[in-house]
Amino acid sequence: MSDSDRAVIFGRDAARYDAARPGYPDEVVAHVIDKVDPGYAVEIGAGTGKATAAFVGENRRITCLEPDPEMAAVLDGKRLPGVTVEIARFEDWNGEPGPVDLLYAAQSWHWVDPSVGFRKATENLRTGGVLALLWNVPLDRYDRFVDIYRELGPEVLAEQDGRIHERDQKGWLPELIANGFGECELFVHPWSSRLSAVEFRDLCSTYSDHMMIPEPRRARLLDALEEAVDAGGGWFEIDYEARVFTGRK
């Protein structure tokens, strides 16, 4: 499956994605807004809007770019004030008549073509504008369930998904600096989420590496994860690091 196809795989069950995926802590959004209080922002790979609502502000316009029509439809259906949704990849977007104060990508920049992304961000940002790359990185997705994954999802443990490995391990500061951004910074905010067995199953079902596992093995994996959480008391707490890379044009 090509990268462009992988980028829209999440739309297979957009409603479940919207319900299961975590949002972003207030501290993360405040960190970005403190750098540039944007009158106009563009969100890259907005998905169903897990980050969008947190960036909505009085007298603020946000253009949300999302290549998957199903994901975009969920976001558009929220009718968030000041938000316009466009079905488009950032690489294909024609831009706006005027410069952008803030370009941000939440859980999506690793899907952007690196030969295009930083250049296009520079072209569209105003002088003094900010590019912000946000991720929620789970720190303990597999440790408790390693035997289950060895049996039913060995390709997940093998980290064959280069995009996910890049998301979790990549430091983006050198790229920001190399592409002419100043005041480049990494902000890290630890937090956690407590999930029931069903909620954990639903969350795992939205991960692209899990979605790539063929049926019926994928269903057996999700069943086994749910059963393991139930057997362990019915709850599972995921520790996250919210990581925000920022640079100023």
Side-chain angles (χ1 to χ4, degrees), residues 165-215:
H165 182 75
E166 183 174 74
R167 177 202 71 188
D168 289 355
Q169 306 298 327
K170 179 89 168 176
W172 297 94
L173 295 182
E175 284 85 350
L176 285 164
I177 294 168
N179 283 276
F181 287 89
E183 302 177 30
C184 298
E185 179 186 15
L186 167 61
F187 172 76
V188 178
H189 177 75
W191 68 285
S192 62
S193 176
R194 191 168 187 254
L195 302 176
S196 70
V198 171
E199 289 170 336
F200 181 67
R201 177 203 175 102
D202 285 348
L203 175 62
C204 290
S205 75
T206 72
Y207 292 145
S208 64
D209 52 357
H210 290 54
M211 296 176 80
M212 294 292 293
I213 297 173
E215 299 288 3

mmCIF file of all heavy atoms in Angstrom, residues 165-215:
data_model
loop_
_atom_site.group_PDB
_atom_site.id
_atom_site.type_symbol
_atom_site.label_atom_id
_atom_site.label_comp_id
_atom_site.label_asym_id
_atom_site.label_seq_id
_atom_site.Cartn_x
_atom_site.Cartn_y
_atom_site.Cartn_z
ATOM 1 N N HIS A 165 7.329 4.467 13.281
ATOM 2 C CA HIS A 165 8.642 4.562 13.917
ATOM 3 C C HIS A 165 9.182 5.977 13.805
ATOM 4 O O HIS A 165 9.740 6.520 14.764
ATOM 5 C CB HIS A 165 9.607 3.567 13.266
ATOM 6 C CG HIS A 165 10.966 3.571 13.899
ATOM 7 N ND1 HIS A 165 11.208 2.994 15.118
ATOM 8 C CD2 HIS A 165 12.148 4.096 13.479
ATOM 9 C CE1 HIS A 165 12.490 3.159 15.424
ATOM 10 N NE2 HIS A 165 13.073 3.812 14.443
ATOM 11 N N GLU A 166 8.991 6.597 12.648
ATOM 12 C CA GLU A 166 9.460 7.968 12.453
ATOM 13 C C GLU A 166 8.719 8.925 13.372
ATOM 14 O O GLU A 166 9.305 9.812 13.982
ATOM 15 C CB GLU A 166 9.275 8.395 10.995
ATOM 16 C CG GLU A 166 9.802 9.790 10.688
ATOM 17 C CD GLU A 166 9.718 10.112 9.214
ATOM 18 O OE1 GLU A 166 8.592 10.360 8.729
ATOM 19 O OE2 GLU A 166 10.761 10.121 8.547
ATOM 20 N N ARG A 167 7.412 8.733 13.483
ATOM 21 C CA ARG A 167 6.620 9.587 14.361
ATOM 22 C C ARG A 167 7.107 9.501 15.796
ATOM 23 O O ARG A 167 7.251 10.515 16.495
ATOM 24 C CB ARG A 167 5.153 9.151 14.304
ATOM 25 C CG ARG A 167 4.229 9.928 15.229
ATOM 26 C CD ARG A 167 2.969 9.133 15.527
ATOM 27 N NE ARG A 167 3.258 7.988 16.396
ATOM 28 C CZ ARG A 167 2.372 7.052 16.687
ATOM 29 N NH1 ARG A 167 1.173 7.086 16.156
ATOM 30 N NH2 ARG A 167 2.705 6.054 17.490
ATOM 31 N N ASP A 168 7.374 8.283 16.268
ATOM 32 C CA ASP A 168 7.705 8.082 17.670
ATOM 33 C C ASP A 168 9.147 8.438 18.000
ATOM 34 O O ASP A 168 9.433 8.827 19.134
ATOM 35 C CB ASP A 168 7.449 6.621 18.065
ATOM 36 C CG ASP A 168 5.968 6.283 18.119
ATOM 37 O OD1 ASP A 168 5.151 7.201 17.934
ATOM 38 O OD2 ASP A 168 5.637 5.105 18.338
ATOM 39 N N GLN A 169 10.053 8.275 17.063
ATOM 40 C CA GLN A 169 11.469 8.419 17.361
ATOM 41 C C GLN A 169 12.122 9.662 16.761
ATOM 42 O O GLN A 169 13.200 10.064 17.191
ATOM 43 C CB GLN A 169 12.236 7.179 16.862
ATOM 44 C CG GLN A 169 11.687 5.869 17.393
ATOM 45 C CD GLN A 169 11.782 5.762 18.893
ATOM 46 O OE1 GLN A 169 12.709 6.282 19.495
ATOM 47 N NE2 GLN A 169 10.815 5.093 19.503
ATOM 48 N N LYS A 170 11.480 10.264 15.788
ATOM 49 C CA LYS A 170 12.120 11.333 15.026
ATOM 50 C C LYS A 170 12.198 12.626 15.829
ATOM 51 O O LYS A 170 11.243 13.015 16.483
ATOM 52 C CB LYS A 170 11.321 11.580 13.744
ATOM 53 C CG LYS A 170 11.859 12.683 12.854
ATOM 54 C CD LYS A 170 12.867 12.161 11.883
ATOM 55 C CE LYS A 170 13.192 13.180 10.813
ATOM 56 N NZ LYS A 170 14.245 12.698 9.927
ATOM 57 N N GLY A 171 13.349 13.291 15.747
ATOM 58 C CA GLY A 171 13.479 14.657 16.234
ATOM 59 C C GLY A 171 13.456 15.589 15.038
ATOM 60 O O GLY A 171 14.276 15.466 14.129
ATOM 61 N N TRP A 172 12.509 16.517 15.010
ATOM 62 C CA TRP A 172 12.293 17.343 13.817
ATOM 63 C C TRP A 172 13.052 18.666 13.854
ATOM 64 O O TRP A 172 12.982 19.438 12.898
ATOM 65 C CB TRP A 172 10.791 17.604 13.655
ATOM 66 C CG TRP A 172 9.997 16.369 13.416
ATOM 67 C CD1 TRP A 172 9.352 15.606 14.344
ATOM 68 C CD2 TRP A 172 9.797 15.712 12.164
ATOM 69 N NE1 TRP A 172 8.750 14.524 13.751
ATOM 70 C CE2 TRP A 172 9.008 14.560 12.411
ATOM 71 C CE3 TRP A 172 10.204 15.983 10.846
ATOM 72 C CZ2 TRP A 172 8.613 13.687 11.405
ATOM 73 C CZ3 TRP A 172 9.809 15.115 9.854
ATOM 74 C CH2 TRP A 172 9.032 13.978 10.128
ATOM 75 N N LEU A 173 13.783 18.931 14.930
ATOM 76 C CA LEU A 173 14.470 20.218 15.026
ATOM 77 C C LEU A 173 15.508 20.410 13.916
ATOM 78 O O LEU A 173 15.598 21.502 13.338
ATOM 79 C CB LEU A 173 15.119 20.367 16.402
ATOM 80 C CG LEU A 173 14.151 20.436 17.595
ATOM 81 C CD1 LEU A 173 14.916 20.636 18.890
ATOM 82 C CD2 LEU A 173 13.117 21.534 17.403
ATOM 83 N N PRO A 174 16.316 19.398 13.573
ATOM 84 C CA PRO A 174 17.290 19.618 12.489
ATOM 85 C C PRO A 174 16.632 20.003 11.173
ATOM 86 O O PRO A 174 17.161 20.854 10.438
ATOM 87 C CB PRO A 174 18.012 18.268 12.387
ATOM 88 C CG PRO A 174 17.879 17.670 13.746
ATOM 89 C CD PRO A 174 16.520 18.081 14.220
ATOM 90 N N GLU A 175 15.480 19.401 10.853
ATOM 91 C CA GLU A 175 14.788 19.740 9.612
ATOM 92 C C GLU A 175 14.244 21.166 9.653
ATOM 93 O O GLU A 175 14.304 21.897 8.671
ATOM 94 C CB GLU A 175 13.653 18.755 9.339
ATOM 95 C CG GLU A 175 14.102 17.409 8.820
ATOM 96 C CD GLU A 175 14.488 16.446 9.930
ATOM 97 O OE1 GLU A 175 14.595 16.891 11.098
ATOM 98 O OE2 GLU A 175 14.681 15.255 9.630
ATOM 99 N N LEU A 176 13.690 21.562 10.799
ATOM 100 C CA LEU A 176 13.201 22.935 10.935
ATOM 101 C C LEU A 176 14.343 23.937 10.734
ATOM 102 O O LEU A 176 14.210 24.917 10.004
ATOM 103 C CB LEU A 176 12.558 23.131 12.309
ATOM 104 C CG LEU A 176 11.171 22.511 12.509
ATOM 105 C CD1 LEU A 176 10.827 22.446 13.996
ATOM 106 C CD2 LEU A 176 10.105 23.306 11.763
ATOM 107 N N ILE A 177 15.465 23.670 11.374
ATOM 108 C CA ILE A 177 16.615 24.571 11.264
ATOM 109 C C ILE A 177 17.153 24.591 9.834
ATOM 110 O O ILE A 177 17.426 25.660 9.265
ATOM 111 C CB ILE A 177 17.716 24.145 12.255
ATOM 112 C CG1 ILE A 177 17.225 24.338 13.700
ATOM 113 C CG2 ILE A 177 19.001 24.929 12.018
ATOM 114 C CD1 ILE A 177 18.110 23.684 14.740
ATOM 115 N N ALA A 178 17.269 23.401 9.221
ATOM 116 C CA ALA A 178 17.804 23.306 7.867
ATOM 117 C C ALA A 178 16.925 24.017 6.854
ATOM 118 O O ALA A 178 17.407 24.469 5.804
ATOM 119 C CB ALA A 178 17.979 21.847 7.468
ATOM 120 N N ASN A 179 15.634 24.141 7.149
ATOM 121 C CA ASN A 179 14.714 24.809 6.231
ATOM 122 C C ASN A 179 14.473 26.262 6.587
ATOM 123 O O ASN A 179 13.520 26.873 6.099
ATOM 124 C CB ASN A 179 13.388 24.041 6.193
ATOM 125 C CG ASN A 179 13.472 22.782 5.355
ATOM 126 O OD1 ASN A 179 13.327 22.814 4.141
ATOM 127 N ND2 ASN A 179 13.735 21.653 6.013
ATOM 128 N N GLY A 180 15.359 26.831 7.409
ATOM 129 C CA GLY A 180 15.364 28.266 7.628
ATOM 130 C C GLY A 180 14.504 28.769 8.765
ATOM 131 O O GLY A 180 14.375 29.991 8.941
ATOM 132 N N PHE A 181 13.930 27.874 9.566
ATOM 133 C CA PHE A 181 13.116 28.328 10.689
ATOM 134 C C PHE A 181 14.007 28.722 11.861
ATOM 135 O O PHE A 181 15.062 28.138 12.095
ATOM 136 C CB PHE A 181 12.135 27.231 11.123
ATOM 137 C CG PHE A 181 11.007 27.026 10.160
ATOM 138 C CD1 PHE A 181 11.125 26.125 9.108
ATOM 139 C CD2 PHE A 181 9.825 27.747 10.289
ATOM 140 C CE1 PHE A 181 10.085 25.935 8.212
ATOM 141 C CE2 PHE A 181 8.785 27.564 9.394
ATOM 142 C CZ PHE A 181 8.914 26.664 8.343
ATOM 143 N N GLY A 182 13.558 29.728 12.606
ATOM 144 C CA GLY A 182 14.271 30.181 13.790
ATOM 145 C C GLY A 182 13.501 29.855 15.053
ATOM 146 O O GLY A 182 12.352 29.406 15.008
ATOM 147 N N GLU A 183 14.149 30.088 16.207
ATOM 148 C CA GLU A 183 13.530 29.837 17.513
ATOM 149 C C GLU A 183 12.967 28.414 17.594
ATOM 150 O O GLU A 183 11.892 28.183 18.152
ATOM 151 C CB GLU A 183 12.427 30.854 17.813
ATOM 152 C CG GLU A 183 12.894 32.296 17.809
ATOM 153 C CD GLU A 183 11.749 33.279 18.045
ATOM 154 O OE1 GLU A 183 10.778 32.923 18.744
ATOM 155 O OE2 GLU A 183 11.822 34.401 17.510
ATOM 156 N N CYS A 184 13.690 27.452 17.040
ATOM 157 C CA CYS A 184 13.204 26.076 16.989
ATOM 158 C C CYS A 184 13.271 25.451 18.385
ATOM 159 O O CYS A 184 14.259 25.609 19.106
ATOM 160 C CB CYS A 184 14.029 25.266 16.002
ATOM 161 S SG CYS A 184 13.917 25.899 14.312
ATOM 162 N N GLU A 185 12.209 24.741 18.744
ATOM 163 C CA GLU A 185 12.082 24.257 20.114
ATOM 164 C C GLU A 185 11.265 22.974 20.149
ATOM 165 O O GLU A 185 10.327 22.793 19.362
ATOM 166 C CB GLU A 185 11.385 25.323 20.968
ATOM 167 C CG GLU A 185 11.166 24.935 22.424
ATOM 168 C CD GLU A 185 10.353 25.969 23.188
ATOM 169 O OE1 GLU A 185 9.721 26.837 22.555
ATOM 170 O OE2 GLU A 185 10.342 25.889 24.430
ATOM 171 N N LEU A 186 11.619 22.090 21.080
ATOM 172 C CA LEU A 186 10.810 20.911 21.403
ATOM 173 C C LEU A 186 10.217 21.096 22.790
ATOM 174 O O LEU A 186 10.945 21.328 23.767
ATOM 175 C CB LEU A 186 11.657 19.640 21.367
ATOM 176 C CG LEU A 186 11.021 18.379 21.972
ATOM 177 C CD1 LEU A 186 9.741 18.002 21.240
ATOM 178 C CD2 LEU A 186 12.008 17.224 21.972
ATOM 179 N N PHE A 187 8.898 21.011 22.877
ATOM 180 C CA PHE A 187 8.171 21.070 24.139
ATOM 181 C C PHE A 187 7.582 19.690 24.401
ATOM 182 O O PHE A 187 6.938 19.114 23.513
ATOM 183 C CB PHE A 187 7.049 22.117 24.049
ATOM 184 C CG PHE A 187 6.115 22.144 25.232
ATOM 185 C CD1 PHE A 187 6.495 22.705 26.435
ATOM 186 C CD2 PHE A 187 4.833 21.603 25.123
ATOM 187 C CE1 PHE A 187 5.625 22.738 27.516
ATOM 188 C CE2 PHE A 187 3.948 21.636 26.195
ATOM 189 C CZ PHE A 187 4.349 22.207 27.401
ATOM 190 N N VAL A 188 7.800 19.146 25.592
ATOM 191 C CA VAL A 188 7.310 17.815 25.948
ATOM 192 C C VAL A 188 6.415 17.929 27.176
ATOM 193 O O VAL A 188 6.803 18.531 28.196
ATOM 194 C CB VAL A 188 8.471 16.841 26.234
ATOM 195 C CG1 VAL A 188 7.935 15.480 26.652
ATOM 196 C CG2 VAL A 188 9.364 16.705 25.011
ATOM 197 N N HIS A 189 5.218 17.334 27.062
ATOM 198 C CA HIS A 189 4.276 17.353 28.179
ATOM 199 C C HIS A 189 3.789 15.932 28.441
ATOM 200 O O HIS A 189 3.056 15.352 27.628
ATOM 201 C CB HIS A 189 3.082 18.262 27.860
ATOM 202 C CG HIS A 189 2.040 18.278 28.941
ATOM 203 N ND1 HIS A 189 2.215 18.961 30.125
ATOM 204 C CD2 HIS A 189 0.812 17.688 29.026
ATOM 205 C CE1 HIS A 189 1.148 18.802 30.884
ATOM 206 N NE2 HIS A 189 0.282 18.033 30.241
ATOM 207 N N PRO A 190 4.185 15.316 29.577
ATOM 208 C CA PRO A 190 3.711 13.959 29.882
ATOM 209 C C PRO A 190 2.280 13.990 30.420
ATOM 210 O O PRO A 190 1.894 14.888 31.172
ATOM 211 C CB PRO A 190 4.702 13.481 30.943
ATOM 212 C CG PRO A 190 5.214 14.731 31.588
ATOM 213 C CD PRO A 190 5.174 15.804 30.546
ATOM 214 N N TRP A 191 1.501 12.979 30.030
ATOM 215 C CA TRP A 191 0.143 12.861 30.539
ATOM 216 C C TRP A 191 -0.288 11.411 30.385
ATOM 217 O O TRP A 191 0.453 10.595 29.836
ATOM 218 C CB TRP A 191 -0.810 13.822 29.820
ATOM 219 C CG TRP A 191 -1.066 13.518 28.368
ATOM 220 C CD1 TRP A 191 -0.223 13.738 27.317
ATOM 221 C CD2 TRP A 191 -2.249 12.945 27.816
ATOM 222 N NE1 TRP A 191 -0.807 13.334 26.144
ATOM 223 C CE2 TRP A 191 -2.051 12.851 26.419
ATOM 224 C CE3 TRP A 191 -3.460 12.506 28.357
ATOM 225 C CZ2 TRP A 191 -3.016 12.320 25.559
ATOM 226 C CZ3 TRP A 191 -4.423 11.989 27.498
ATOM 227 C CH2 TRP A 191 -4.193 11.906 26.123
ATOM 228 N N SER A 192 -1.453 11.061 30.878
ATOM 229 C CA SER A 192 -1.902 9.680 30.799
ATOM 230 C C SER A 192 -3.405 9.627 30.557
ATOM 231 O O SER A 192 -4.138 10.591 30.807
ATOM 232 C CB SER A 192 -1.550 8.905 32.073
ATOM 233 O OG SER A 192 -2.188 9.475 33.200
ATOM 234 N N SER A 193 -3.862 8.477 30.064
ATOM 235 C CA SER A 193 -5.272 8.250 29.759
ATOM 236 C C SER A 193 -5.671 6.883 30.282
ATOM 237 O O SER A 193 -5.019 5.880 29.984
ATOM 238 C CB SER A 193 -5.501 8.328 28.247
ATOM 239 O OG SER A 193 -6.840 8.020 27.910
ATOM 240 N N ARG A 194 -6.750 6.820 31.066
ATOM 241 C CA ARG A 194 -7.237 5.565 31.650
ATOM 242 C C ARG A 194 -8.424 5.069 30.831
ATOM 243 O O ARG A 194 -9.431 5.758 30.685
ATOM 244 C CB ARG A 194 -7.649 5.780 33.106
ATOM 245 C CG ARG A 194 -7.915 4.495 33.879
ATOM 246 C CD ARG A 194 -8.031 4.811 35.366
ATOM 247 N NE ARG A 194 -8.115 3.610 36.180
ATOM 248 C CZ ARG A 194 -9.237 3.189 36.761
ATOM 249 N NH1 ARG A 194 -10.362 3.876 36.619
ATOM 250 N NH2 ARG A 194 -9.239 2.087 37.491
ATOM 251 N N LEU A 195 -8.285 3.857 30.280
ATOM 252 C CA LEU A 195 -9.270 3.326 29.348
ATOM 253 C C LEU A 195 -9.851 2.023 29.865
ATOM 254 O O LEU A 195 -9.138 1.190 30.453
ATOM 255 C CB LEU A 195 -8.633 3.072 27.979
ATOM 256 C CG LEU A 195 -7.977 4.267 27.281
ATOM 257 C CD1 LEU A 195 -7.313 3.810 25.985
ATOM 258 C CD2 LEU A 195 -8.997 5.353 27.000
ATOM 259 N N SER A 196 -11.139 1.816 29.607
ATOM 260 C CA SER A 196 -11.753 0.513 29.856
ATOM 261 C C SER A 196 -11.268 -0.480 28.798
ATOM 262 O O SER A 196 -10.621 -0.096 27.804
ATOM 263 C CB SER A 196 -13.275 0.630 29.800
ATOM 264 O OG SER A 196 -13.703 0.867 28.463
ATOM 265 N N ALA A 197 -11.609 -1.742 28.981
ATOM 266 C CA ALA A 197 -11.196 -2.764 28.022
ATOM 267 C C ALA A 197 -11.750 -2.472 26.633
ATOM 268 O O ALA A 197 -11.036 -2.593 25.623
ATOM 269 C CB ALA A 197 -11.649 -4.142 28.501
ATOM 270 N N VAL A 198 -13.007 -2.071 26.559
ATOM 271 C CA VAL A 198 -13.618 -1.772 25.257
ATOM 272 C C VAL A 198 -12.992 -0.528 24.650
ATOM 273 O O VAL A 198 -12.710 -0.476 23.437
ATOM 274 C CB VAL A 198 -15.140 -1.600 25.409
ATOM 275 C CG1 VAL A 198 -15.753 -1.083 24.114
ATOM 276 C CG2 VAL A 198 -15.784 -2.929 25.806
ATOM 277 N N GLU A 199 -12.745 0.487 25.467
ATOM 278 C CA GLU A 199 -12.119 1.711 24.962
ATOM 279 C C GLU A 199 -10.714 1.438 24.442
ATOM 280 O O GLU A 199 -10.308 1.989 23.411
ATOM 281 C CB GLU A 199 -12.079 2.768 26.066
ATOM 282 C CG GLU A 199 -13.430 3.348 26.407
ATOM 283 C CD GLU A 199 -13.402 4.198 27.657
ATOM 284 O OE1 GLU A 199 -12.498 4.009 28.506
ATOM 285 O OE2 GLU A 199 -14.293 5.068 27.807
ATOM 286 N N PHE A 200 -9.978 0.574 25.140
ATOM 287 C CA PHE A 200 -8.634 0.235 24.679
ATOM 288 C C PHE A 200 -8.691 -0.524 23.359
ATOM 289 O O PHE A 200 -7.903 -0.263 22.444
ATOM 290 C CB PHE A 200 -7.907 -0.594 25.741
ATOM 291 C CG PHE A 200 -6.507 -0.965 25.365
ATOM 292 C CD1 PHE A 200 -5.524 0.005 25.245
ATOM 293 C CD2 PHE A 200 -6.161 -2.281 25.119
ATOM 294 C CE1 PHE A 200 -4.225 -0.328 24.878
ATOM 295 C CE2 PHE A 200 -4.872 -2.627 24.768
ATOM 296 C CZ PHE A 200 -3.902 -1.636 24.653
ATOM 297 N N ARG A 201 -9.623 -1.459 23.260
ATOM 298 C CA ARG A 201 -9.792 -2.183 21.994
ATOM 299 C C ARG A 201 -10.096 -1.204 20.857
ATOM 300 O O ARG A 201 -9.507 -1.299 19.769
ATOM 301 C CB ARG A 201 -10.929 -3.195 22.125
ATOM 302 C CG ARG A 201 -11.211 -3.945 20.817
ATOM 303 C CD ARG A 201 -12.616 -4.515 20.767
ATOM 304 N NE ARG A 201 -12.869 -5.117 19.468
ATOM 305 C CZ ARG A 201 -12.833 -6.419 19.228
ATOM 306 N NH1 ARG A 201 -12.582 -7.259 20.196
ATOM 307 N NH2 ARG A 201 -13.067 -6.878 18.015
ATOM 308 N N ASP A 202 -11.028 -0.284 21.093
ATOM 309 C CA ASP A 202 -11.396 0.676 20.055
ATOM 310 C C ASP A 202 -10.208 1.544 19.654
ATOM 311 O O ASP A 202 -10.004 1.833 18.467
ATOM 312 C CB ASP A 202 -12.551 1.557 20.533
ATOM 313 C CG ASP A 202 -13.885 0.830 20.537
ATOM 314 O OD1 ASP A 202 -13.967 -0.273 19.954
ATOM 315 O OD2 ASP A 202 -14.847 1.366 21.119
ATOM 316 N N LEU A 203 -9.418 1.967 20.633
ATOM 317 C CA LEU A 203 -8.243 2.772 20.326
ATOM 318 C C LEU A 203 -7.269 1.984 19.459
ATOM 319 O O LEU A 203 -6.803 2.484 18.427
ATOM 320 C CB LEU A 203 -7.560 3.212 21.617
ATOM 321 C CG LEU A 203 -6.235 3.964 21.452
ATOM 322 C CD1 LEU A 203 -6.445 5.268 20.681
ATOM 323 C CD2 LEU A 203 -5.593 4.233 22.804
ATOM 324 N N CYS A 204 -6.957 0.762 19.852
ATOM 325 C CA CYS A 204 -6.016 -0.051 19.070
ATOM 326 C C CYS A 204 -6.532 -0.288 17.654
ATOM 327 O O CYS A 204 -5.748 -0.351 16.700
ATOM 328 C CB CYS A 204 -5.765 -1.384 19.765
ATOM 329 S SG CYS A 204 -4.819 -1.248 21.298
ATOM 330 N N SER A 205 -7.843 -0.391 17.504
ATOM 331 C CA SER A 205 -8.404 -0.644 16.178
ATOM 332 C C SER A 205 -8.210 0.519 15.231
ATOM 333 O O SER A 205 -8.363 0.362 14.016
ATOM 334 C CB SER A 205 -9.901 -0.970 16.292
ATOM 335 O OG SER A 205 -10.672 0.195 16.561
ATOM 336 N N THR A 206 -7.860 1.714 15.765
ATOM 337 C CA THR A 206 -7.648 2.892 14.911
ATOM 338 C C THR A 206 -6.193 3.102 14.524
ATOM 339 O O THR A 206 -5.895 3.996 13.736
ATOM 340 C CB THR A 206 -8.150 4.173 15.610
ATOM 341 O OG1 THR A 206 -7.269 4.520 16.696
ATOM 342 C CG2 THR A 206 -9.567 4.015 16.119
ATOM 343 N N TYR A 207 -5.269 2.282 15.055
ATOM 344 C CA TYR A 207 -3.858 2.426 14.692
ATOM 345 C C TYR A 207 -3.628 1.859 13.296
ATOM 346 O O TYR A 207 -4.095 0.752 12.977
ATOM 347 C CB TYR A 207 -2.957 1.690 15.686
ATOM 348 C CG TYR A 207 -2.912 2.261 17.079
ATOM 349 C CD1 TYR A 207 -2.801 1.419 18.180
ATOM 350 C CD2 TYR A 207 -2.964 3.633 17.310
ATOM 351 C CE1 TYR A 207 -2.735 1.916 19.470
ATOM 352 C CE2 TYR A 207 -2.900 4.146 18.599
ATOM 353 C CZ TYR A 207 -2.783 3.289 19.674
ATOM 354 O OH TYR A 207 -2.722 3.779 20.939
ATOM 355 N N SER A 208 -2.893 2.586 12.481
ATOM 356 C CA SER A 208 -2.714 2.148 11.096
ATOM 357 C C SER A 208 -1.989 0.807 11.005
ATOM 358 O O SER A 208 -2.311 -0.012 10.132
ATOM 359 C CB SER A 208 -1.966 3.212 10.286
ATOM 360 O OG SER A 208 -0.657 3.412 10.776
ATOM 361 N N ASP A 209 -1.026 0.552 11.904
ATOM 362 C CA ASP A 209 -0.330 -0.734 11.829
ATOM 363 C C ASP A 209 -1.256 -1.889 12.184
ATOM 364 O O ASP A 209 -1.151 -2.984 11.639
ATOM 365 C CB ASP A 209 0.929 -0.742 12.711
ATOM 366 C CG ASP A 209 0.684 -0.321 14.144
ATOM 367 O OD1 ASP A 209 -0.454 0.046 14.491
ATOM 368 O OD2 ASP A 209 1.658 -0.348 14.932
ATOM 369 N N HIS A 210 -2.214 -1.646 13.087
ATOM 370 C CA HIS A 210 -3.211 -2.670 13.410
ATOM 371 C C HIS A 210 -4.214 -2.834 12.261
ATOM 372 O O HIS A 210 -4.657 -3.951 11.975
ATOM 373 C CB HIS A 210 -3.963 -2.301 14.689
ATOM 374 C CG HIS A 210 -3.141 -2.391 15.940
ATOM 375 N ND1 HIS A 210 -1.943 -1.738 16.102
ATOM 376 C CD2 HIS A 210 -3.356 -3.066 17.099
ATOM 377 C CE1 HIS A 210 -1.454 -2.003 17.295
ATOM 378 N NE2 HIS A 210 -2.285 -2.805 17.926
ATOM 379 N N MET A 211 -4.562 -1.736 11.611
ATOM 380 C CA MET A 211 -5.520 -1.795 10.512
ATOM 381 C C MET A 211 -4.959 -2.566 9.320
ATOM 382 O O MET A 211 -5.725 -3.100 8.506
ATOM 383 C CB MET A 211 -5.924 -0.380 10.089
ATOM 384 C CG MET A 211 -6.660 0.392 11.183
ATOM 385 S SD MET A 211 -7.053 2.102 10.729
ATOM 386 C CE MET A 211 -8.516 1.817 9.726
ATOM 387 N N MET A 212 -3.645 -2.635 9.207
ATOM 388 C CA MET A 212 -3.019 -3.336 8.099
ATOM 389 C C MET A 212 -2.992 -4.852 8.290
ATOM 390 O O MET A 212 -2.754 -5.593 7.342
ATOM 391 C CB MET A 212 -1.592 -2.827 7.906
ATOM 392 C CG MET A 212 -1.496 -1.367 7.467
ATOM 393 S SD MET A 212 -2.119 -1.139 5.794
ATOM 394 C CE MET A 212 -0.897 -2.044 4.855
ATOM 395 N N ILE A 213 -3.236 -5.334 9.508
ATOM 396 C CA ILE A 213 -3.232 -6.776 9.760
ATOM 397 C C ILE A 213 -4.455 -7.398 9.083
ATOM 398 O O ILE A 213 -5.572 -6.914 9.248
ATOM 399 C CB ILE A 213 -3.258 -7.056 11.272
ATOM 400 C CG1 ILE A 213 -1.981 -6.509 11.924
ATOM 401 C CG2 ILE A 213 -3.396 -8.555 11.547
ATOM 402 C CD1 ILE A 213 -1.990 -6.588 13.442
ATOM 403 N N PRO A 214 -4.277 -8.449 8.323
ATOM 404 C CA PRO A 214 -5.420 -9.045 7.606
ATOM 405 C C PRO A 214 -6.400 -9.714 8.551
ATOM 406 O O PRO A 214 -6.034 -10.255 9.592
ATOM 407 C CB PRO A 214 -4.757 -10.057 6.669
ATOM 408 C CG PRO A 214 -3.450 -10.380 7.306
ATOM 409 C CD PRO A 214 -3.005 -9.133 7.999
ATOM 410 N N GLU A 215 -7.679 -9.652 8.163
ATOM 411 C CA GLU A 215 -8.715 -10.400 8.874
ATOM 412 C C GLU A 215 -8.615 -11.881 8.513
ATOM 413 O O GLU A 215 -8.161 -12.211 7.425
ATOM 414 C CB GLU A 215 -10.102 -9.854 8.500
ATOM 415 C CG GLU A 215 -10.332 -8.402 8.864
ATOM 416 C CD GLU A 215 -10.482 -8.163 10.368
ATOM 417 O OE1 GLU A 215 -10.348 -9.114 11.162
ATOM 418 O OE2 GLU A 215 -10.709 -6.997 10.745
#
